[in-house]
Amino acid sequence: MPFSRFTEYFMAVAKTGSLRKATEQQVISVSAVHRQIVLAEEQFGVPLFQRLPSGLKLTLAGELLYNDLLRWQKDFQQTCIRLDEI
């Protein structure tokens, strides 16, 4: 599935609530994932995660983005199925 690097990292962090756990799943460095998230927050102009002592929690903006990405992923899977049927 053609997800951007940021999308994959963002969704992994959102699911796990942890940069470390997400990076273990993605087999990449914590700094690379952190950099992608910070760049996206700068570009969007809003924080996507609350930084808490217990980990990371999605902000309202982060929840909106996460839900849109899930919807896009589902729509894209449907598109792939339809393309396979052609």
Side-chain angles (χ1 to χ4, degrees), residues 27 56 72:
V27 190
L56 298 172
W72 178 85

Side-chain angles (χ1 to χ4, degrees), residues 10 13-14 16-19 34 37-38 41 46-63:
F10 172 79
V13 174
T16 63
S18 164
L19 281 172
H34 182 262
I37 290 171
V38 169
E41 290 176 327
V46 293
L48 299 172
F49 292 96
Q50 291 177 324
R51 276 76 172 169
L52 305 170
S54 59
L56 298 172
K57 180 181 175 191
L58 288 170
T59 61
L60 177 58
E63 288 179 20

Side-chain angles (χ1 to χ4, degrees), residues 11 16 21 23 51 71-72:
M11 293 183 78
T16 63
K21 289 178 186 174
T23 58
R51 276 76 172 169
R71 196 169 20 262
W72 178 85

Side-chain angles (χ1 to χ4, degrees), residues 2-86:
F3 267 156
S4 72
R5 196 174 315 155
F6 163 74
T7 301
E8 291 178 16
Y9 298 166
F10 172 79
M11 293 183 78
V13 174
K15 288 177 187 175
T16 63
S18 164
L19 281 172
R20 184 186 53 76
K21 289 178 186 174
T23 58
E24 288 172 359
Q25 291 178 354
Q26 298 294 315
V27 190
I28 191 140
S29 72
V30 171
S31 63
V33 173
H34 182 262
R35 184 172 42 253
Q36 289 285 323
I37 290 171
V38 169
L39 288 172
E41 290 176 327
E42 289 173 2
Q43 187 173 16
F44 289 130
V46 293
L48 299 172
F49 292 96
Q50 291 177 324
R51 276 76 172 169
L52 305 170
S54 59
L56 298 172
K57 180 181 175 191
L58 288 170
T59 61
L60 177 58
E63 288 179 20
L64 291 171
L65 178 59
Y66 183 78
N67 289 328
D68 285 348
L69 291 172
L70 285 176
R71 196 169 20 262
W72 178 85
Q73 185 179 33
K74 183 178 178 183
D75 289 347
F76 186 76
Q77 289 170 346
Q78 286 300 113
T79 299
C80 289
I81 290 169
R82 289 194 303 264
L83 290 174
D84 286 343
E85 293 171 353
I86 293 177

